[in-house]
Amino acid sequence: MGLTERWRDAQPIARVLVHTSLTGLAEALGRWTADHDRVLDGPAEERYLFPPRPGVPTRAYRTEIAWPIRSEPGRSSPPTDHEAK
């Protein structure tokens, strides 16, 4: 699961493309934001690129999730792309 930082409409976002299950996503986001001196700054946006449907195996699901983020107060970090570890 690779979280990246991107900009959308002048707002930095943490973005992830999820294949199959959302299990562990909240924990991964928490680690990523802490590791990159960021905090969540609004509700998540989910976009179902290949949603669940009858007869479709879960391995085929694709969901893009984006969370608005900001630098943590008192710290300054330039907005750059980072791959989650």
Side-chain angles (χ1 to χ4, degrees):
M1 177 178 327
L3 282 150
T4 57
E5 181 174 339
R6 299 276 191 254
W7 285 78
R8 183 183 296 159
D9 300 325
Q11 167 74 51
I13 61 167
R15 177 194 171 272
V16 64
L17 182 61
V18 180
H19 304 267
T20 69
S21 172
L22 301 179
T23 303
L25 188 58
E27 293 83 3
L29 176 63
R31 280 191 307 275
W32 186 91
T33 55
D35 289 349
H36 294 89
D37 299 326
R38 303 289 191 262
V39 292
L40 298 181
D41 193 30
E45 175 184 310
E46 297 179 8
R47 195 167 61 138
Y48 299 96
L49 306 174
F50 200 92
R53 290 182 231 167
V56 175
T58 56
R59 69 182 177 280
Y61 301 169
R62 300 291 183 270
T63 306
E64 178 188 53
I65 302 176
W67 291 273
I69 55 173
R70 62 180 166 80
S71 294
E72 195 168 63
R75 297 183 186 183
S76 61
S77 300
T80 58
D81 286 354
H82 295 285
E83 287 292 326
K85 296 176 183 166

